[in-house]
Amino acid sequence: MINEVFMQKRQWQQFQQFPQFRQFQQFWQFRRIIYFLVSFSAVIILGMGLSPAQAQINQATVTEVLDGNQVFIQGRQARINSTAGAGQQVSTGSSRAGLRFNNGAAGRLRSNTSLVIGQCIQVQQGGIVASGPTNACIGSIRVATRGTTFLTELGTDDIYAMKVLEGSVGLAPIENTSSPVPEISVRQGQKVSITKDGRIGNPEPITAVEAQEIVNGDYFTGFTQPLPGTSNLLRSLQEQYPNISLPPSLRPTPVRGLW
């Protein structure tokens, strides 16, 4: 038995001397190094916070048209499944519209709204409620979302109102400045005003009356396709405003046999 073990060990040592074995060993070590580098890079990228919220939007598809047919892409009438590419303008007249973006986010436009599709959604007129991984540009401020449902409207006084219904957003200047500017966080149930030159007001609470007007207004009434994260939005509204009356599009679907 001892002799057999000795012979096997000797044969293994001889086999290790063959050039083919050394090449195989080097190749295997090289694969291990590559695997380590790829894994390490993935960890670094995730650690940098490259979340879906930062995914670039370069296409929007019309999913719903309400109150007539006045929905346009680059000034030409659009219909269900029409698409707008990066840099193109989507606008509404007396109608409202639902949009689905290529990164999984979605938005709803009220009447008399215009926006430009791009790395961030640029609201030029009117208002939009957006949900999912969506970045928006409000004047000279970038709105970075974190799994959020928020709305932004441009008032007749040229001041934007930004309201967070669920989740939170971070506000920061679009242009790089010589000195770092701390990001301003706005949590669910809060609103801020933003001027076109980048002045941000102090966060204030969204009152129960305001919340009721939002959910019973143009952004929710009549729409049938749910926004991403509707269940989170529903939970947020019920926690913050226990007495709120929800429209059919936000009510939980009854389970047959339980109701």
Side-chain angles (χ1 to χ4, degrees), residues 86-150:
Q88 292 190 315
Q89 183 190 67
V90 180
S91 60
T92 59
S94 60
S95 300
R96 296 176 289 152
L99 299 179
R100 182 181 66 251
F101 302 110
N102 62 288
N103 67 343
R108 292 171 179 172
L109 280 61
R110 74 176 199 192
S111 59
N112 300 311
T113 292
S114 64
L115 57 83
V116 176
I117 304 301
Q119 186 172 0
C120 63
I121 299 172
Q122 303 177 40
V123 178
Q124 300 174 321
Q125 176 183 318
I128 181 176
V129 62
S131 184
T134 310
N135 287 337
C137 295
I138 300 179
S140 60
I141 299 297
R142 179 183 297 278
V143 180
T145 67
R146 300 174 178 86
T148 303
T149 300
F150 72 99

Side-chain angles (χ1 to χ4, degrees), residues 168-196:
S168 64
V169 303
L171 306 178
I174 295 175
E175 300 293 336
N176 293 328
T177 57
S178 56
S179 58
V181 177
E183 184 179 84
I184 297 175
S185 179
V186 184
R187 301 188 304 273
Q188 63 188 29
Q190 292 185 326
K191 63 181 180 180
V192 294
S193 62
I194 305 173
T195 63
K196 287 188 174 181

Side-chain angles (χ1 to χ4, degrees), residues 25-40:
Q25 193 176 37
Q26 291 173 351
F27 173 74
W28 184 251
Q29 291 175 343
F30 177 75
R31 285 190 60 180
R32 291 178 65 183
I33 293 173
I34 293 299
Y35 178 80
F36 170 79
L37 291 176
V38 171
S39 301
F40 182 76

Side-chain angles (χ1 to χ4, degrees), residues 206-209 211-212 233-246:
I206 300 172
T207 67
V209 172
Q212 188 68 74
L233 173 59
L234 174 62
R235 183 168 55 252
S236 173
L237 291 172
Q238 291 177 326
E239 289 176 353
Q240 297 176 83
Y241 315 103
N243 298 321
I244 195 169
S245 175
L246 298 171

